[in-house]
Amino acid sequence: MKRKLTVAEAVKAASILFELNTGEAGVLALAARAGLPCTSDEEKRTLMLEWRAFVHAAVLYGLMVQAPNVVVVEYLRVTQQMLGSLGYAPKEAEDFVDGAFRAYVDPMVRTKTQECPSVFFRRLLNRDVAGVPAETAAVVSGVMAMIMSAILDKLEQYEFGTE
């Protein structure tokens, strides 16, 4: 029997999924393994912004698939708070939502999640996937697919209330 989550518990669970998949040490290790630029502060900041946008969109997509709309809306409502806790100023958080986050949400709501690596490389490196070394593309694409799968699998373990 699946555990039933209240709206607040579902939002908290979704926020935890976001946190677990956006830890800086893990993202930087992925970047190093994939050969992505991550040595300067600016490169790290850009990388983290893109990765957070992808994961936030992936969690949102998982909620859209598994949870009632009220949970989706409440998760979106805590975006500013989540980003604030990561050090984003209100204007930066607004730019995050309107820019990077939206770039990943668009293919996901069209159920074209396989386009996310293209979005990532285009936004991060200003290159298409074809212009990225094959190993880099394989590592990043593989991790993105695993994260999407893990989020969907985790959310599938619950039932969601609407109160």
mmCIF file of all heavy atoms in Angstrom, residues 3-43:
data_model
loop_
_atom_site.group_PDB
_atom_site.id
_atom_site.type_symbol
_atom_site.label_atom_id
_atom_site.label_comp_id
_atom_site.label_asym_id
_atom_site.label_seq_id
_atom_site.Cartn_x
_atom_site.Cartn_y
_atom_site.Cartn_z
ATOM 1 N N ARG A 3 1.949 5.035 0.677
ATOM 2 C CA ARG A 3 1.737 6.052 1.712
ATOM 3 C C ARG A 3 1.083 7.264 1.071
ATOM 4 O O ARG A 3 1.497 7.710 -0.002
ATOM 5 C CB ARG A 3 3.070 6.440 2.345
ATOM 6 C CG ARG A 3 2.902 7.496 3.397
ATOM 7 C CD ARG A 3 4.173 7.729 4.173
ATOM 8 N NE ARG A 3 3.950 8.842 5.055
ATOM 9 C CZ ARG A 3 4.739 9.889 5.170
ATOM 10 N NH1 ARG A 3 5.857 9.934 4.485
ATOM 11 N NH2 ARG A 3 4.451 10.872 5.977
ATOM 12 N N LYS A 4 0.079 7.813 1.722
ATOM 13 C CA LYS A 4 -0.610 8.991 1.198
ATOM 14 C C LYS A 4 -0.010 10.240 1.822
ATOM 15 O O LYS A 4 0.109 10.351 3.041
ATOM 16 C CB LYS A 4 -2.108 8.928 1.495
ATOM 17 C CG LYS A 4 -2.884 10.028 0.828
ATOM 18 C CD LYS A 4 -4.383 9.826 0.968
ATOM 19 C CE LYS A 4 -5.131 10.861 0.155
ATOM 20 N NZ LYS A 4 -6.575 10.624 0.185
ATOM 21 N N LEU A 5 0.364 11.169 0.965
ATOM 22 C CA LEU A 5 0.959 12.419 1.414
ATOM 23 C C LEU A 5 -0.058 13.550 1.322
ATOM 24 O O LEU A 5 -0.815 13.624 0.352
ATOM 25 C CB LEU A 5 2.163 12.788 0.544
ATOM 26 C CG LEU A 5 3.324 11.801 0.479
ATOM 27 C CD1 LEU A 5 4.403 12.330 -0.454
ATOM 28 C CD2 LEU A 5 3.902 11.545 1.858
ATOM 29 N N THR A 6 -0.023 14.416 2.310
ATOM 30 C CA THR A 6 -0.796 15.648 2.214
ATOM 31 C C THR A 6 -0.104 16.548 1.201
ATOM 32 O O THR A 6 1.028 16.277 0.777
ATOM 33 C CB THR A 6 -0.858 16.375 3.570
ATOM 34 O OG1 THR A 6 0.468 16.803 3.913
ATOM 35 C CG2 THR A 6 -1.435 15.480 4.671
ATOM 36 N N VAL A 7 -0.749 17.632 0.845
ATOM 37 C CA VAL A 7 -0.143 18.576 -0.089
ATOM 38 C C VAL A 7 1.182 19.086 0.474
ATOM 39 O O VAL A 7 2.202 19.111 -0.228
ATOM 40 C CB VAL A 7 -1.104 19.741 -0.409
ATOM 41 C CG1 VAL A 7 -0.404 20.821 -1.225
ATOM 42 C CG2 VAL A 7 -2.342 19.230 -1.137
ATOM 43 N N ALA A 8 1.191 19.463 1.747
ATOM 44 C CA ALA A 8 2.417 19.982 2.368
ATOM 45 C C ALA A 8 3.519 18.923 2.377
ATOM 46 O O ALA A 8 4.684 19.233 2.096
ATOM 47 C CB ALA A 8 2.130 20.463 3.786
ATOM 48 N N GLU A 9 3.173 17.684 2.694
ATOM 49 C CA GLU A 9 4.173 16.608 2.694
ATOM 50 C C GLU A 9 4.690 16.344 1.280
ATOM 51 O O GLU A 9 5.874 16.087 1.085
ATOM 52 C CB GLU A 9 3.575 15.331 3.272
ATOM 53 C CG GLU A 9 3.303 15.383 4.752
ATOM 54 C CD GLU A 9 2.501 14.192 5.249
ATOM 55 O OE1 GLU A 9 1.692 13.625 4.471
ATOM 56 O OE2 GLU A 9 2.672 13.840 6.436
ATOM 57 N N ALA A 10 3.811 16.423 0.296
ATOM 58 C CA ALA A 10 4.210 16.196 -1.096
ATOM 59 C C ALA A 10 5.175 17.285 -1.556
ATOM 60 O O ALA A 10 6.175 16.995 -2.223
ATOM 61 C CB ALA A 10 2.977 16.156 -1.995
ATOM 62 N N VAL A 11 4.894 18.516 -1.191
ATOM 63 C CA VAL A 11 5.780 19.623 -1.561
ATOM 64 C C VAL A 11 7.134 19.453 -0.878
ATOM 65 O O VAL A 11 8.183 19.661 -1.496
ATOM 66 C CB VAL A 11 5.136 20.982 -1.237
ATOM 67 C CG1 VAL A 11 6.139 22.115 -1.382
ATOM 68 C CG2 VAL A 11 3.930 21.217 -2.127
ATOM 69 N N LYS A 12 7.113 19.046 0.377
ATOM 70 C CA LYS A 12 8.363 18.813 1.101
ATOM 71 C C LYS A 12 9.157 17.679 0.442
ATOM 72 O O LYS A 12 10.377 17.794 0.245
ATOM 73 C CB LYS A 12 8.085 18.495 2.575
ATOM 74 C CG LYS A 12 9.311 18.239 3.396
ATOM 75 C CD LYS A 12 10.192 19.466 3.481
ATOM 76 C CE LYS A 12 11.398 19.204 4.367
ATOM 77 N NZ LYS A 12 12.412 20.250 4.216
ATOM 78 N N ALA A 13 8.476 16.597 0.086
ATOM 79 C CA ALA A 13 9.144 15.476 -0.583
ATOM 80 C C ALA A 13 9.749 15.920 -1.913
ATOM 81 O O ALA A 13 10.887 15.562 -2.243
ATOM 82 C CB ALA A 13 8.157 14.333 -0.806
ATOM 83 N N ALA A 14 9.010 16.722 -2.673
ATOM 84 C CA ALA A 14 9.512 17.224 -3.955
ATOM 85 C C ALA A 14 10.723 18.130 -3.731
ATOM 86 O O ALA A 14 11.707 18.053 -4.476
ATOM 87 C CB ALA A 14 8.405 17.970 -4.696
ATOM 88 N N SER A 15 10.664 18.947 -2.710
ATOM 89 C CA SER A 15 11.791 19.836 -2.394
ATOM 90 C C SER A 15 13.029 19.029 -2.015
ATOM 91 O O SER A 15 14.152 19.388 -2.385
ATOM 92 C CB SER A 15 11.417 20.792 -1.261
ATOM 93 O OG SER A 15 10.351 21.631 -1.664
ATOM 94 N N ILE A 16 12.827 17.947 -1.292
ATOM 95 C CA ILE A 16 13.945 17.071 -0.920
ATOM 96 C C ILE A 16 14.548 16.425 -2.165
ATOM 97 O O ILE A 16 15.775 16.331 -2.293
ATOM 98 C CB ILE A 16 13.500 16.021 0.117
ATOM 99 C CG1 ILE A 16 13.224 16.709 1.459
ATOM 100 C CG2 ILE A 16 14.546 14.912 0.270
ATOM 101 C CD1 ILE A 16 12.524 15.831 2.485
ATOM 102 N N LEU A 17 13.705 15.993 -3.100
ATOM 103 C CA LEU A 17 14.214 15.427 -4.349
ATOM 104 C C LEU A 17 15.065 16.458 -5.093
ATOM 105 O O LEU A 17 16.111 16.122 -5.648
ATOM 106 C CB LEU A 17 13.060 14.958 -5.244
ATOM 107 C CG LEU A 17 12.374 13.672 -4.834
ATOM 108 C CD1 LEU A 17 11.120 13.447 -5.672
ATOM 109 C CD2 LEU A 17 13.324 12.491 -4.952
ATOM 110 N N PHE A 18 14.614 17.699 -5.095
ATOM 111 C CA PHE A 18 15.394 18.768 -5.715
ATOM 112 C C PHE A 18 16.742 18.898 -5.018
ATOM 113 O O PHE A 18 17.789 18.914 -5.671
ATOM 114 C CB PHE A 18 14.621 20.095 -5.669
ATOM 115 C CG PHE A 18 15.422 21.272 -6.130
ATOM 116 C CD1 PHE A 18 15.595 21.526 -7.485
ATOM 117 C CD2 PHE A 18 16.016 22.129 -5.221
ATOM 118 C CE1 PHE A 18 16.341 22.615 -7.920
ATOM 119 C CE2 PHE A 18 16.767 23.225 -5.640
ATOM 120 C CZ PHE A 18 16.927 23.461 -6.993
ATOM 121 N N GLU A 19 16.734 18.980 -3.707
ATOM 122 C CA GLU A 19 17.975 19.151 -2.939
ATOM 123 C C GLU A 19 18.943 18.000 -3.156
ATOM 124 O O GLU A 19 20.149 18.205 -3.329
ATOM 125 C CB GLU A 19 17.661 19.285 -1.455
ATOM 126 C CG GLU A 19 16.969 20.574 -1.073
ATOM 127 C CD GLU A 19 16.449 20.570 0.359
ATOM 128 O OE1 GLU A 19 16.929 19.742 1.175
ATOM 129 O OE2 GLU A 19 15.559 21.378 0.652
ATOM 130 N N LEU A 20 18.425 16.773 -3.134
ATOM 131 C CA LEU A 20 19.281 15.596 -3.290
ATOM 132 C C LEU A 20 19.988 15.555 -4.646
ATOM 133 O O LEU A 20 21.087 15.015 -4.759
ATOM 134 C CB LEU A 20 18.459 14.320 -3.124
ATOM 135 C CG LEU A 20 17.985 13.996 -1.714
ATOM 136 C CD1 LEU A 20 17.040 12.793 -1.740
ATOM 137 C CD2 LEU A 20 19.166 13.743 -0.792
ATOM 138 N N ASN A 21 19.352 16.119 -5.647
ATOM 139 C CA ASN A 21 19.895 16.032 -7.002
ATOM 140 C C ASN A 21 20.599 17.295 -7.479
ATOM 141 O O ASN A 21 20.977 17.391 -8.649
ATOM 142 C CB ASN A 21 18.771 15.651 -7.969
ATOM 143 C CG ASN A 21 18.342 14.231 -7.769
ATOM 144 O OD1 ASN A 21 19.093 13.307 -8.062
ATOM 145 N ND2 ASN A 21 17.154 14.034 -7.231
ATOM 146 N N THR A 22 20.784 18.255 -6.566
ATOM 147 C CA THR A 22 21.450 19.501 -6.945
ATOM 148 C C THR A 22 22.598 19.861 -6.005
ATOM 149 O O THR A 22 23.053 21.004 -6.016
ATOM 150 C CB THR A 22 20.453 20.683 -6.998
ATOM 151 O OG1 THR A 22 19.831 20.829 -5.724
ATOM 152 C CG2 THR A 22 19.423 20.494 -8.088
ATOM 153 N N GLY A 23 23.061 18.915 -5.221
ATOM 154 C CA GLY A 23 24.186 19.202 -4.334
ATOM 155 C C GLY A 23 25.403 19.622 -5.142
ATOM 156 O O GLY A 23 25.756 18.986 -6.145
ATOM 157 N N GLU A 24 26.041 20.695 -4.715
ATOM 158 C CA GLU A 24 27.145 21.263 -5.492
ATOM 159 C C GLU A 24 28.286 20.274 -5.694
ATOM 160 O O GLU A 24 28.829 20.163 -6.796
ATOM 161 C CB GLU A 24 27.663 22.546 -4.834
ATOM 162 C CG GLU A 24 28.661 23.268 -5.703
ATOM 163 C CD GLU A 24 28.979 24.667 -5.225
ATOM 164 O OE1 GLU A 24 28.075 25.395 -4.819
ATOM 165 O OE2 GLU A 24 30.179 25.015 -5.269
ATOM 166 N N ALA A 25 28.653 19.534 -4.669
ATOM 167 C CA ALA A 25 29.769 18.592 -4.806
ATOM 168 C C ALA A 25 29.468 17.545 -5.874
ATOM 169 O O ALA A 25 30.329 17.226 -6.704
ATOM 170 C CB ALA A 25 30.073 17.922 -3.466
ATOM 171 N N GLY A 26 28.262 17.031 -5.884
ATOM 172 C CA GLY A 26 27.886 16.032 -6.875
ATOM 173 C C GLY A 26 27.845 16.591 -8.282
ATOM 174 O O GLY A 26 28.298 15.945 -9.238
ATOM 175 N N VAL A 27 27.303 17.794 -8.421
ATOM 176 C CA VAL A 27 27.217 18.416 -9.748
ATOM 177 C C VAL A 27 28.616 18.726 -10.277
ATOM 178 O O VAL A 27 28.907 18.489 -11.456
ATOM 179 C CB VAL A 27 26.338 19.686 -9.709
ATOM 180 C CG1 VAL A 27 26.344 20.380 -11.066
ATOM 181 C CG2 VAL A 27 24.911 19.342 -9.296
ATOM 182 N N LEU A 28 29.484 19.206 -9.409
ATOM 183 C CA LEU A 28 30.852 19.501 -9.849
ATOM 184 C C LEU A 28 31.612 18.221 -10.205
ATOM 185 O O LEU A 28 32.415 18.209 -11.140
ATOM 186 C CB LEU A 28 31.598 20.312 -8.791
ATOM 187 C CG LEU A 28 31.063 21.731 -8.560
ATOM 188 C CD1 LEU A 28 31.832 22.413 -7.441
ATOM 189 C CD2 LEU A 28 31.084 22.556 -9.839
ATOM 190 N N ALA A 29 31.348 17.137 -9.480
ATOM 191 C CA ALA A 29 31.967 15.846 -9.820
ATOM 192 C C ALA A 29 31.472 15.366 -11.184
ATOM 193 O O ALA A 29 32.255 14.868 -11.998
ATOM 194 C CB ALA A 29 31.671 14.813 -8.739
ATOM 195 N N LEU A 30 30.178 15.521 -11.433
ATOM 196 C CA LEU A 30 29.621 15.176 -12.741
ATOM 197 C C LEU A 30 30.292 16.013 -13.831
ATOM 198 O O LEU A 30 30.695 15.487 -14.866
ATOM 199 C CB LEU A 30 28.108 15.413 -12.755
ATOM 200 C CG LEU A 30 27.434 15.468 -14.129
ATOM 201 C CD1 LEU A 30 27.519 14.127 -14.829
ATOM 202 C CD2 LEU A 30 26.001 15.935 -14.004
ATOM 203 N N ALA A 31 30.426 17.306 -13.588
ATOM 204 C CA ALA A 31 31.038 18.201 -14.567
ATOM 205 C C ALA A 31 32.477 17.795 -14.854
ATOM 206 O O ALA A 31 32.900 17.776 -16.014
ATOM 207 C CB ALA A 31 30.971 19.643 -14.081
ATOM 208 N N ALA A 32 33.215 17.470 -13.812
ATOM 209 C CA ALA A 32 34.607 17.054 -13.998
ATOM 210 C C ALA A 32 34.665 15.763 -14.815
ATOM 211 O O ALA A 32 35.485 15.623 -15.730
ATOM 212 C CB ALA A 32 35.289 16.872 -12.640
ATOM 213 N N ARG A 33 33.792 14.816 -14.495
ATOM 214 C CA ARG A 33 33.750 13.527 -15.212
ATOM 215 C C ARG A 33 33.379 13.728 -16.680
ATOM 216 O O ARG A 33 33.891 13.064 -17.571
ATOM 217 C CB ARG A 33 32.744 12.596 -14.528
ATOM 218 C CG ARG A 33 32.405 11.325 -15.274
ATOM 219 C CD ARG A 33 33.580 10.345 -15.293
ATOM 220 N NE ARG A 33 33.238 9.110 -15.933
ATOM 221 C CZ ARG A 33 33.396 8.860 -17.235
ATOM 222 N NH1 ARG A 33 33.888 9.775 -18.037
ATOM 223 N NH2 ARG A 33 33.073 7.691 -17.753
ATOM 224 N N ALA A 34 32.477 14.680 -16.923
ATOM 225 C CA ALA A 34 31.998 14.922 -18.283
ATOM 226 C C ALA A 34 32.883 15.893 -19.061
ATOM 227 O O ALA A 34 32.669 16.097 -20.256
ATOM 228 C CB ALA A 34 30.567 15.468 -18.235
ATOM 229 N N GLY A 35 33.858 16.489 -18.391
ATOM 230 C CA GLY A 35 34.731 17.444 -19.064
ATOM 231 C C GLY A 35 34.073 18.791 -19.309
ATOM 232 O O GLY A 35 34.408 19.487 -20.269
ATOM 233 N N LEU A 36 33.141 19.159 -18.442
ATOM 234 C CA LEU A 36 32.476 20.458 -18.566
ATOM 235 C C LEU A 36 33.286 21.526 -17.850
ATOM 236 O O LEU A 36 33.944 21.247 -16.845
ATOM 237 C CB LEU A 36 31.066 20.396 -17.957
ATOM 238 C CG LEU A 36 30.082 19.464 -18.642
ATOM 239 C CD1 LEU A 36 28.802 19.348 -17.818
ATOM 240 C CD2 LEU A 36 29.778 19.964 -20.049
ATOM 241 N N PRO A 37 33.240 22.754 -18.329
ATOM 242 C CA PRO A 37 33.980 23.834 -17.658
ATOM 243 C C PRO A 37 33.393 24.116 -16.269
ATOM 244 O O PRO A 37 32.194 24.360 -16.143
ATOM 245 C CB PRO A 37 33.793 25.030 -18.597
ATOM 246 C CG PRO A 37 32.596 24.711 -19.420
ATOM 247 C CD PRO A 37 32.504 23.223 -19.492
ATOM 248 N N CYS A 38 34.244 24.031 -15.251
ATOM 249 C CA CYS A 38 33.763 24.265 -13.886
ATOM 250 C C CYS A 38 34.891 24.708 -12.956
ATOM 251 O O CYS A 38 34.870 24.408 -11.767
ATOM 252 C CB CYS A 38 33.073 23.027 -13.337
ATOM 253 S SG CYS A 38 34.133 21.577 -13.210
ATOM 254 N N THR A 39 35.871 25.416 -13.485
ATOM 255 C CA THR A 39 36.997 25.826 -12.643
ATOM 256 C C THR A 39 36.821 27.225 -12.068
ATOM 257 O O THR A 39 37.094 27.442 -10.897
ATOM 258 C CB THR A 39 38.328 25.735 -13.413
ATOM 259 O OG1 THR A 39 38.206 26.428 -14.649
ATOM 260 C CG2 THR A 39 38.693 24.274 -13.689
ATOM 261 N N SER A 40 36.351 28.158 -12.857
ATOM 262 C CA SER A 40 36.177 29.519 -12.335
ATOM 263 C C SER A 40 34.852 29.632 -11.585
ATOM 264 O O SER A 40 33.951 28.804 -11.761
ATOM 265 C CB SER A 40 36.200 30.543 -13.482
ATOM 266 O OG SER A 40 34.989 30.489 -14.224
ATOM 267 N N ASP A 41 34.752 30.652 -10.770
ATOM 268 C CA ASP A 41 33.504 30.891 -10.038
ATOM 269 C C ASP A 41 32.341 31.105 -10.994
ATOM 270 O O ASP A 41 31.241 30.620 -10.761
ATOM 271 C CB ASP A 41 33.640 32.097 -9.095
ATOM 272 C CG ASP A 41 34.502 31.805 -7.884
ATOM 273 O OD1 ASP A 41 34.736 30.608 -7.584
ATOM 274 O OD2 ASP A 41 34.940 32.769 -7.221
ATOM 275 N N GLU A 42 32.574 31.826 -12.069
ATOM 276 C CA GLU A 42 31.515 32.087 -13.056
ATOM 277 C C GLU A 42 31.066 30.788 -13.731
ATOM 278 O O GLU A 42 29.870 30.567 -13.923
ATOM 279 C CB GLU A 42 31.989 33.095 -14.103
ATOM 280 C CG GLU A 42 30.931 33.468 -15.117
ATOM 281 C CD GLU A 42 29.687 34.110 -14.503
ATOM 282 O OE1 GLU A 42 29.795 34.797 -13.464
ATOM 283 O OE2 GLU A 42 28.586 33.911 -15.068
ATOM 284 N N GLU A 43 32.021 29.925 -14.092
ATOM 285 C CA GLU A 43 31.667 28.634 -14.699
ATOM 286 C C GLU A 43 30.857 27.785 -13.731
ATOM 287 O O GLU A 43 29.858 27.166 -14.119
ATOM 288 C CB GLU A 43 32.927 27.883 -15.132
ATOM 289 C CG GLU A 43 33.612 28.499 -16.330
ATOM 290 C CD GLU A 43 34.983 27.901 -16.608
ATOM 291 O OE1 GLU A 43 35.594 27.290 -15.691
ATOM 292 O OE2 GLU A 43 35.452 28.042 -17.747
#
